[in-house]
Amino acid sequence: MSSSPGSAARGSTSPPPWRVYLLHAYFGREGREEAEQLLKRNSGDLDAPRILGAFNEETTDWLQFFMFTYFTDRDGKYQLGTLKESAFDPLARTCEFMLKEEAHHMFVGTTGVQRVLERTAELMREHGSADVLPHGGIPLDIIQKYLNFQFAVSMDLFGSEQSTNAGNYFTSGLKGRWMETRRKDDHVLLEDTRELRYVEDGEIKSRTVPMLSALNLDLRDEYVADCTNGVRRWNQALKDAGLDERLYLPHEGFNRKVGVYAGHHVTPHGEVLDEAAWQARAQEWLPTPEDRENVASLMVPEYEYGKFAGWIAPPKTGINDQPVEFDYVHLADEGLL
């Protein structure tokens, strides 16, 4: 089944049903068997976990959820974007539809993190301190740690930087590149090359590789550029609040488990560390159990209409232009008032 959507789309972050449909509809008994194997997998299951590590991470709180929907669902956007270019029409049409769903997921993440930042910035100004946890807010350094973690596990979803399979899928027409029709090359890539960064002797170096084998890296670069724009928009909330602090994307090699950086320790700023130095400093850059407990402790429900939990700012507008205090959920009917 090397040419089936089930294998070609393993990098996709969308849930299995659309792949299951295609496998059942177009690939006979072998497709049905592969579909059944996909459906047996569940996030975090010890016996049958999801193939991709990002989907087996625990969602400890709403900030983790927002980071997931921003960074990890964004990977889905780019994976589906390559499959939308497929010469296999049922796959291309299905992915076109799925991209609309991914847009909603990413909107939740974008606005969720934005509102968390707005509230954090408000509390920092009000109390003149970055330590807003005692005042019911999520400190900026913890938000950065959550960002670092989710960005890294989402980068792993793109697979190895060099992949023969990716080149074969492209050559056979099963997958294209992101925005293939806007590319100004020959769309064959037999003579094209690009640079690939890697770690050697404790340093980050670069070598030239064939473009056809580096399509995962090409797609990942498009993803990183999109994430960079989102972080820039988030930072506007800090700038508008008159704060000097800014969020940032960590280095591409930070906390990686897949690809050329796997087995190496790279800081968010691109410094290569040995094992001892990494272990001594990792808690500076990744959420600790204590960080997650502190954030989870803030997740207290607010039941009064028009009021919001102390760690997140109100939305600019309500859903479907309804007022923010609209009776979206019938709390009295649910016995919550």
Side-chain angles (χ1 to χ4, degrees):
M1 292 292 292
S2 61
S3 61
S4 76
S7 54
R10 290 200 196 282
S12 171
T13 64
S14 297
W18 67 273
R19 281 176 278 168
V20 171
Y21 154 69
L22 290 171
L23 289 166
H24 273 267
Y26 296 99
F27 291 89
R29 185 179 66 182
E30 194 175 354
R32 292 192 295 273
E33 290 174 352
E34 184 167 345
E36 292 308 309
Q37 292 304 311
L38 285 174
L39 291 173
K40 288 179 180 179
R41 295 184 175 276
N42 292 291
S43 298
D45 190 300
L46 295 178
D47 298 319
R50 295 289 292 274
I51 295 172
L52 304 174
F55 295 96
N56 296 310
E57 300 290 347
E58 186 178 5
T59 302
T60 53
D61 49 71
W62 279 102
L63 179 59
Q64 176 73 37
F65 174 78
F66 291 147
M67 290 294 181
F68 182 96
T69 51
Y70 183 82
F71 287 108
T72 306
D73 279 314
R74 192 166 302 273
D75 162 79
K77 166 186 172 181
Y78 282 88
Q79 301 291 350
L80 289 167
T82 66
L83 294 169
K84 181 177 73 71
E85 306 290 343
S86 178
F88 178 47
D89 185 60
L91 175 59
R93 286 186 286 106
T94 299
C95 290
E96 182 77 48
F97 171 77
M98 289 299 298
L99 280 164
K100 294 178 172 61
E101 181 189 31
E102 293 290 15
H104 172 70
H105 295 173
M106 290 183 293
F107 172 79
V108 171
T110 301
T111 56
V113 176
Q114 177 82 22
R115 291 170 58 196
V116 171
L117 278 174
E118 289 174 357
R119 180 57 176 159
T120 294
E122 180 183 13
L123 290 171
M124 288 174 68
R125 288 189 60 189
E126 180 180 343
H127 298 281
S129 173
D131 184 16
V132 297
L133 191 63
H135 308 292
I138 304 175
L140 198 60
D141 63 332
I142 292 181
I143 296 175
Q144 180 67 59
K145 289 182 183 182
Y146 272 63
L147 187 160
N148 291 345
F149 173 81
Q150 202 65 44
F151 180 71
V153 298
S154 300
M155 290 280 276
D156 280 347
L157 294 172
F158 289 88
S160 297
E161 287 81 358
Q162 284 192 276
S163 168
T164 301
N165 282 343
N168 289 340
Y169 294 142
F170 178 82
T171 302
S172 66
L174 188 60
K175 296 176 74 171
R177 290 170 294 173
W178 177 256
M179 298 296 181
E180 184 70 48
T181 56
R182 299 184 186 179
R183 305 283 182 143
K184 302 302 181 183
D185 51 38
D186 63 5
H187 304 278
V188 179
L189 310 180
L190 293 179
E191 306 298 328
D192 292 41
T193 60
R194 63 156 297 155
E195 294 301 298
L196 180 150
R197 291 178 292 275
Y198 65 102
V199 177
E200 184 177 81
D201 299 327
E203 297 181 359
I204 295 177
K205 300 181 180 180
S206 178
R207 65 173 181 262
T208 302
V209 299
M211 176 63 84
L212 197 57
S213 71
L215 293 177
N216 286 345
L217 179 56
D218 176 81
L219 184 62
R220 198 185 75 192
D221 285 348
E222 297 284 348
Y223 167 83
V224 172
D226 198 7
C227 290
T228 300
N229 288 332
V231 173
R232 187 180 300 117
R233 289 193 295 270
W234 289 340
N235 280 332
Q236 188 63 44
L238 300 175
K239 181 179 180 181
D240 291 344
L243 301 175
D244 295 328
E245 293 86 345
R246 297 291 185 269
L247 296 176
Y248 61 89
L249 287 181
H251 187 273
E252 65 181 10
F254 173 73
N255 199 40
R256 297 294 304 285
K257 303 296 188 295
V258 176
V260 295
Y261 292 105
H264 300 283
H265 298 301
V266 181
T267 71
H269 301 292
E271 180 186 0
V272 181
L273 302 180
D274 60 26
E275 179 70 24
W278 171 263
Q279 293 298 334
R281 301 188 61 191
Q283 65 181 6
E284 298 176 27
W285 309 308
L286 291 168
T288 64
E290 182 181 8
D291 290 332
R292 292 193 181 277
E293 288 175 8
N294 286 335
V295 173
S297 71
L298 301 176
M299 305 289 131
V300 179
E302 170 60 67
Y303 294 124
E304 184 177 346
Y305 290 119
K307 300 288 186 179
F308 293 85
W311 52 271
I312 189 168
K316 302 298 183 186
T317 60
I319 299 172
N320 293 334
D321 294 324
Q322 298 285 359
V324 172
E325 64 275 11
F326 183 76
D327 183 14
Y328 295 104
V329 179
H330 302 305
L331 299 177
D333 295 345
E334 297 294 330
L336 298 175
L337 287 180

